[in-house]
Amino acid sequence: MLARYGTPIYIGVTVLGAVGLALVCHHLYGWPPEWLPLGLLAFIGALTWWLPSTSSDGLIHFTADNVVVLAAIPIVGPVGAGVVGLVMAALARRRIALHRRVFNMAMASASAMVGGIAYDLAGGSLSVGELHGVMPLILHVGLPIVVADAANLLANAGLVAGVVRLSAGVPFRLQLLDMLTSSGLTQFAYGVVAFVVIVMWLPGDLGPVAVLVGLAPLAGARWALLQYGEEREARERALGALVAAIETRAPELEGHSARVSAMAAGMAQELGLRPKEVADVRTAGLLHDLGTVVVAPGQEGADHERSAVLRGAAMLQDLPFLAGASAVLEQVAHAGPHQAAPTLAAEVVRVADDFDLLMHGDGLGPAEAMELLRSRPTMVEADRVLAALSRTQRAHDDGPAPDPMVAT
Amino acid sequence: MNRHRLESLVLGLGALALLWSVVSASDELLEALGQHTAVIVAFLLAITVGELFRVGMPSGRIAAPVATGSGIALAVLGPVWGHDVFDVPAGVVTLVVATGLGLAQVLRAAMRRPTQWYLVAARTVGVAITAALMRVGFIDGEGVWAWQLDSEREAWLIAVVMMGAAAAGLYADIVLTALVQSERWELPAATTLRDELGEAQALTVGVIAAGPLVAFLAPVIGLAALPLGLLPMVLTYIAVRRYAANRATYRQTIAALSRLTEAAGYTPAGHASRVASRSVAIARSMGLHADAIQQLEYAALLHDLGQVGLRSPIPDGATVLAAPDDQRRIASEGARIVRRTEVLDTVADLMERQTTPFRHVREWGEEVPLASRIIKVANAFDDFSHGRADAPSVEAALERIHLGLGYEYDPEVVEALIRTIPAPSALTLR
């Protein structure tokens, strides 16, 4: 029931919540004082959504819409900010299903109004044009805007994590943490830039030009961040060539690295490891056989399993961004097949590797492979690890998770 | 002396800008320093500190967004809340900025970091242009700077004029810097200019807009405008640093991949990196674009990757001595592995074509990318010289390459190869 109707019910509740917040804000603050600035802000906000703002790997976001929404709070009031969020999401150029668009509109609007209420509670002024001097502006606009920024982010991340939990099964806490930790500094900067825009727009009498003057200097940062995302994606993909090299030397391992990587990452997630550890486990799983390539032809047979893993780990040490994965591989090597692995991450990689070899190498079924692993004497937190393996295997058998609903 | 002609020219222009500043602002300099002490000290600090936080772009361009943004801001600055209107001649602005940049160089030298005075000269000239343009009185006799004091003037027009003046100065700075860099790296000036102007245009736009942002904030919040208005530049600095560092780790990944064949004993140690640096040197001397050079470098690093599929290594890993069919098989195996990444398709194409003899181009009009022809020559040079740089090894390698000139190797590439090799006397000294 929950899997089938959970998402539509959640979207309905979010829409109702946004309407309720709009009524509360209207009761507290009234209609926006002017409609022309509201239209302009909504238009500029929609434009920021039209610019490419996400790198191809989908991990690096850089969109100035938060600046516009936050600036809208003192300029056109909390209800106006809600309308700006609503219009921006409605006019998003990206083609998405209607129910997703409706969710995005409700979410953007509700987050903006939550930000508006937080701004007021933090002592924010809704008559900024009358303020003069540094301290009054910082106390009654700057600091409240930073508070509004944080509230906006929390509301946004919470709503998105909820829908991703229901539509894709990603744990709520994991998704929330991921969103909050990935955009910390940028989010704070949005708040400060919004403050700058407000100061220029109202006391500075610059009007809507303030948004352009405030946002233009971010062009370089936006460019560099998106480039960074693109290159990071390329770097991760370049690791695929290492796997291809492994499979060229050992064709019998075709597909093994990718399966171990996916299985180990799934288990790490199930076990509640931190996002960084999950990423390290994923890479370690992918490259755990690298050592088999780094050996002279004809010498493979005389090789010891442990030294092969160590050679692979040593090669990765040259790559600072793979230091974590390299450490996990070293732990796997030092443990060897007859000792307990020193960390849960290493155990996960080892179990995923063994499980895949039993399934695809020895042709055992999942139940038999699991039973064999269970009888192994040394294993760190055996029950938890095997339970995670079992759940990940089941999820894999049920097919890939549906696309998460990308909300922002 | 002739070797540093352009650098001397840029240093001379910087000195001229300073001389003009001293002469034109001598009457008002002391008065300005007394009247605007707080403003001048704040900007001096921002410029000096900003200049200490530089970042090297992948093209070699050195960006210091905080310092450059602060310099432009001072050149366009007008009213400042809580202080007198910053009504000073362009010469005073130029002297303040040059002092800040110079102080940073002294500090860099004290910290044993590299100093580049030509950068100071180019930026000084750029700021002098911006400040002078803002104060030119050709429109209403007072100069566009004075528009900031006129509440009747349209704000957007003031913003556009400020950005125009900032752009003129910043582009002058970029052009002068590119000229010096082309001379230092012995590259064609047109290529360096194209790369410098083409790379990171968004970064240039961002820096251009930072000055006007500070100038628009200052009348409302005074000197707090400086940290607030420069925050986007700080973010830019952080983002560009992350980008540049990431580009470096991407290259390290490719380099690690290239070392697979060396670690497994297929190819001699250092072969891939030597072929890559030789290829890059040849490409630069032939005026290839920065992006093309990047792809070439990756392809050169990975050119022997296909050897991991061999059952037994070829002697010394020297593909130049292998049979043509084996050469082609190794190249396509390497390309197949690299294509698995889905992001290095161009690199894979270059790798695949590196074995094609030049006569296919000459006689049958086959299209072989210049980068592939470069890798072929660089690889042959390293294989024949066994990676040694002593004169006899180099001469022997060149001799072998000359035997295949026009038939196996592209004569223009070979000519460029010779240009990248130090003179015989230098070789002997090694």
Side-chain angles (χ1 to χ4, degrees):
Chain A
M1 276 289 281
L2 189 69
R4 191 163 177 187
Y5 299 112
T7 308
I9 291 172
Y10 186 84
I11 294 175
V13 170
T14 308
V15 171
L16 283 178
V19 173
L21 268 171
L23 290 174
V24 170
C25 285
H26 177 257
H27 178 70
L28 290 173
Y29 311 109
W31 290 111
E34 288 181 84
W35 290 96
L36 183 65
L38 192 152
L40 281 169
L41 281 168
F43 176 68
I44 296 170
L47 279 184
T48 64
W49 273 39
W50 284 19
L51 288 169
S53 60
T54 305
S55 61
S56 58
D57 62 354
L59 292 174
I60 301 292
H61 300 275
F62 195 89
T63 156
D65 58 346
N66 284 40
V67 174
V68 178
V69 165
L70 291 168
I73 294 171
I75 295 172
V76 292
V79 176
V83 175
V84 169
L86 185 85
V87 174
M88 271 165 38
L91 294 181
R93 201 169 50 169
R94 199 174 48 212
R95 283 191 185 173
I96 49 173
L98 182 66
H99 67 282
R100 291 185 177 197
R101 193 176 291 267
V102 168
F103 173 75
N104 284 352
M105 288 164 65
M107 182 204 58
S109 176
S111 310
M113 287 184 285
V114 167
I117 294 172
Y119 175 80
D120 182 39
L121 292 176
S125 166
L126 293 171
S127 315
V128 179
E130 294 160 16
L131 296 175
H132 294 282
V134 181
M135 284 320 285
L137 280 167
I138 287 180
L139 285 178
H140 297 293
V141 184
L143 292 179
I145 276 291
V146 172
V147 173
D149 190 11
N152 181 32
L153 171 69
L154 266 174
N156 190 301
L159 287 171
V160 174
V163 82
V164 172
R165 167 75 189 86
L166 289 169
S167 64
V170 177
F172 181 86
R173 195 181 63 92
L174 200 70
Q175 177 72 24
L176 188 70
L177 270 179
D178 195 37
M179 288 185 70
L180 294 179
T181 50
S182 63
S183 55
L185 181 67
T186 324
Q187 200 65 29
F188 172 73
Y190 285 146
V192 178
V193 176
F195 172 56
V196 164
V197 169
I198 297 162
V199 167
M200 285 192 294
W201 185 310
L202 293 171
D205 275 338
L206 206 55
V209 179
V211 182
L212 299 179
V213 176
L215 290 182
L218 286 172
R222 175 180 164 280
W223 168 83
L225 266 181
L226 292 184
Q227 290 288 317
Y228 166 73
E230 297 294 328
E231 297 250 339
R232 196 172 67 165
E233 154 90 350
R235 190 186 67 187
E236 302 300 325
R237 281 176 175 271
L239 294 180
L242 285 170
V243 177
I246 296 168
E247 292 173 359
T248 302
R249 274 297 285 280
E252 70 279 8
L253 289 177
E254 183 145 358
H256 170 70
S257 304
R259 286 194 302 271
V260 172
S261 171
M263 181 64 77
M267 290 169 66
Q269 236 168 33
E270 284 283 347
L271 288 164
L273 298 189
R274 287 179 294 118
K276 167 82 174 69
E277 288 176 302
V278 173
D280 288 343
V281 164
R282 185 188 300 278
T283 311
L286 190 70
L287 301 175
H288 71 281
D289 278 329
L290 184 61
T292 56
V293 191
V294 196
V295 64
Q299 297 297 309
E300 299 93 333
D303 202 16
H304 189 278
E305 189 185 335
R306 182 177 290 193
S307 54
V309 181
L310 273 177
R311 270 200 311 274
M315 272 214 82
L316 300 186
Q317 270 170 358
D318 292 343
L319 305 173
F321 71 98
L322 292 184
S326 170
V328 171
L329 284 181
E330 268 187 16
Q331 289 156 6
V332 171
H334 284 302
H338 307 298
Q339 284 173 34
T343 63
L344 202 53
E347 189 62 65
V348 163
V349 173
R350 194 165 69 161
V351 168
D353 183 23
D354 291 348
F355 184 70
D356 191 75
L357 288 174
L358 287 171
M359 292 258 296
H360 293 91
D362 300 347
L364 300 183
E368 291 168 287
M370 201 80 75
E371 207 45 52
L372 262 176
L373 286 178
R374 199 179 299 280
S375 63
R376 205 159 65 177
T378 54
M379 195 186 284
V380 179
E381 302 194 46
D383 290 341
R384 276 183 72 205
V385 171
L386 288 175
L389 173 66
S390 169
R391 281 196 298 274
T392 312
Q393 168 67 19
R394 250 200 326 272
H396 178 261
D397 287 347
D398 292 344
D403 279 346
M405 237 158 96
V406 177
T408 57
Chain B
M1 185 63 197
N2 192 36
R3 193 175 149 76
H4 299 296
R5 201 163 40 94
L6 285 172
E7 189 165 344
S8 308
L9 177 75
V10 171
L11 287 171
L13 280 175
L16 261 180
L18 280 181
L19 188 67
W20 165 79
S21 303
V22 171
V23 171
S24 66
S26 58
D27 294 344
E28 297 169 65
L29 184 58
L30 288 178
E31 187 191 335
L33 287 176
Q35 192 182 354
H36 304 288
T37 314
V39 174
I40 288 174
V41 168
F43 274 84
L44 206 59
L45 201 67
I47 293 167
T48 308
V49 174
E51 187 63 15
L52 292 177
F53 290 91
R54 287 178 182 174
V55 57
M57 304 284 289
S59 75
R61 172 176 166 186
I62 297 169
V66 175
T68 314
S70 308
I72 293 174
L74 191 67
V76 299
L77 190 69
V80 184
W81 188 83
H83 299 268
D84 292 334
V85 173
F86 193 66
D87 185 7
V88 300
V92 172
V93 173
T94 310
L95 287 173
V96 172
V97 173
T99 308
L101 294 172
L103 267 176
Q105 293 294 311
V106 173
L107 286 174
R108 289 182 74 84
M111 290 188 278
R112 297 178 188 280
R113 290 202 215 161
T115 54
Q116 291 97 353
W117 285 97
Y118 73 91
L119 287 177
V120 174
R123 284 192 189 139
T124 304
V125 171
V127 165
I129 290 173
T130 303
L133 282 177
M134 282 299 292
R135 288 157 178 81
V136 169
F138 60 88
I139 298 178
D140 48 15
E142 286 191 303
V144 285
W145 175 90
W147 290 4
Q148 297 177 80
L149 311 177
D150 181 358
S151 56
E152 299 294 309
R153 291 279 179 190
E154 295 285 345
W156 66 266
L157 189 63
I158 299 174
V160 168
V161 168
M162 279 183 180
M163 289 201 200
L170 189 56
Y171 277 110
D173 171 1
I174 291 174
V175 168
L176 292 177
T177 311
L179 288 176
V180 176
Q181 284 179 346
S182 73
E183 186 180 64
R184 284 192 159 199
W185 299 336
E186 296 181 12
L187 301 177
T191 313
T192 320
L193 263 178
R194 193 179 52 200
D195 286 345
E196 288 263 339
L197 293 174
E199 187 189 44
Q201 290 178 23
L203 176 68
T204 311
V205 170
V207 174
I208 286 171
L213 173 60
V214 173
F216 276 114
L217 282 173
V220 187
I221 51 170
L223 280 178
L226 202 51
L228 280 174
L230 288 178
L231 180 83
M233 290 301 96
V234 174
L235 289 178
T236 303
Y237 167 76
I238 295 169
V240 172
R241 245 187 105 91
R242 276 176 74 180
Y243 158 58
N246 194 62
R247 169 67 74 94
T249 59
Y250 183 28
R251 194 196 168 284
Q252 284 169 352
T253 309
I254 308 274
L257 195 52
S258 78
R259 281 195 297 273
L260 274 181
T261 49
E262 293 172 12
Y266 286 105
T267 50
H271 171 69
S273 70
R274 283 195 305 272
V275 171
S277 46
R278 180 67 66 190
S279 296
V280 168
I282 295 174
R284 281 192 170 148
S285 83
M286 294 181 84
L288 258 70
H289 193 280
D291 286 345
I293 292 181
Q294 183 80 75
Q295 304 285 335
L296 164 68
E297 186 187 14
Y298 293 165
L301 276 170
L302 300 175
H303 76 281
D304 272 336
L305 184 61
Q307 292 199 38
V308 292
L310 294 177
R311 291 200 179 278
S312 56
I314 51 178
D316 289 336
T319 40
V320 74
L321 301 172
D325 270 355
D326 288 341
Q327 288 185 24
R328 270 194 296 277
R329 212 172 40 248
I330 291 168
S332 9
E333 186 66 33
R336 188 190 65 76
I337 293 173
V338 167
R339 280 207 180 90
R340 281 273 295 266
T341 64
E342 295 176 16
V343 287
L344 290 168
D345 283 356
T346 316
V347 171
D349 290 343
L350 298 181
M351 289 166 64
E352 200 154 38
R353 311 298 295 279
Q354 56 165 316
T355 57
T356 313
F358 184 66
R359 70 170 189 283
H360 289 204
V361 180
R362 200 190 57 202
E363 292 169 11
W364 306 334
E366 196 176 326
E367 283 191 16
V368 177
L370 177 58
S372 301
R373 285 178 266 152
I374 291 175
I375 296 171
K376 187 174 178 66
V377 170
N379 179 47
F381 180 71
D382 196 73
D383 279 350
F384 287 139
S385 62
H386 305 286
R388 291 199 286 267
D390 56 282
S393 303
V394 168
E395 276 159 25
L398 287 178
E399 210 173 299
R400 296 286 296 270
I401 287 174
H402 270 110
L403 291 175
L405 200 63
Y407 184 82
E408 196 69 21
Y409 308 111
D410 182 344
E412 280 184 36
V413 176
V414 175
E415 220 170 276
L417 164 74
I418 294 167
R419 284 201 298 274
T420 67
I421 297 170
S425 55
L427 284 173
T428 317
L429 281 174
R430 289 184 181 191

